[in-house]
Amino acid sequence: MIDREEIGELERDETPAERVDRNFNELLGELRIALPGVQVLFAFLLTVPFAQGFAQLSGFERGVYFAVLLLTALSSAFLIAPTAYHRLLFRQGRKREILFFANRAAVLGLGALALAMSGAILLITHFLFGPGAAIPVGIAALFLFGSLWYLLPVARARGILGGDGGGL
């Protein structure tokens, strides 16, 4: 078993420029995981108003639908932005700036995605089972995404949670 300090403080034989390149490539790999989910959700949301059952949605459900649609578009914009930012600035020797922007955009994009997915779960649960089920299920979804995507990593980074960092 590898010691936690070995993983967290792994010494690399790399220059600062190589570190920035590695970090940027890792970030791009992570975005490749998130983007298909956003695209599928966005595609689904774009077709919903043309489905027969859309006319049956209540005013609340239409409002939640519109909020989820906007959050999904926002998430797409933030998660795709690092590619455009890189494409426009990559020959100007500003890789650190690009990495900083891309990291912030990815964090914001994932936050918007968490809200959009929680909202979609809220909407579907409300439509199928009413507000009594929708509110706790929506809150549980938001708590799950928030915990796994933000609270757990921040707590581990600050040393609040012990353990080897590999499990939940």
Side-chain angles (χ1 to χ4, degrees):
M1 188 155 122
I2 297 175
D3 187 291
R4 188 172 103 162
E5 288 182 19
E6 290 180 41
I7 295 171
E9 299 299 324
L10 188 63
E11 291 294 322
R12 296 182 185 273
D13 186 23
E14 60 187 2
T15 66
E18 289 171 334
R19 178 171 286 133
V20 168
D21 287 341
R22 179 179 51 81
N23 287 336
F24 191 71
N25 285 330
E26 289 176 5
L27 178 66
L28 290 178
E30 293 162 1
L31 292 174
R32 285 184 193 104
I33 301 296
L35 276 170
V38 174
Q39 292 167 331
V40 168
L41 179 58
F42 201 36
F44 167 74
L45 290 169
L46 292 175
T47 64
V48 168
F50 304 104
Q52 284 183 337
F54 190 75
Q56 298 171 355
L57 293 182
S58 68
F60 170 78
E61 291 166 340
R62 285 175 185 257
V64 171
Y65 166 80
F66 190 63
V68 168
L69 179 68
L70 294 178
L71 285 166
T72 305
L74 185 65
S75 179
S76 296
F78 276 120
L79 293 174
I80 294 170
T83 302
Y85 201 87
H86 177 262
R87 186 57 24 210
L88 294 172
L89 297 179
F90 79 102
R91 291 192 178 171
Q92 296 180 11
R94 300 165 81 174
K95 193 81 168 239
R96 289 181 64 91
E97 177 187 325
I98 293 168
L99 177 61
F100 181 78
F101 169 80
N103 183 63
R104 296 292 171 135
V107 169
L108 291 170
L110 289 171
L113 179 59
L115 292 172
M117 291 174 67
S118 298
I121 291 168
L122 173 76
L123 173 62
I124 292 167
T125 306
H126 191 276
F127 183 78
L128 294 175
F129 303 108
I135 293 170
V137 169
I139 290 170
L142 189 58
F143 178 76
L144 178 68
F145 290 121
S147 295
L148 292 176
W149 293 5
Y150 290 97
L151 295 178
L152 182 62
V154 168
R156 293 278 164 129
R158 292 185 178 168
I160 296 169
L161 294 178
D164 65 1
L168 294 174

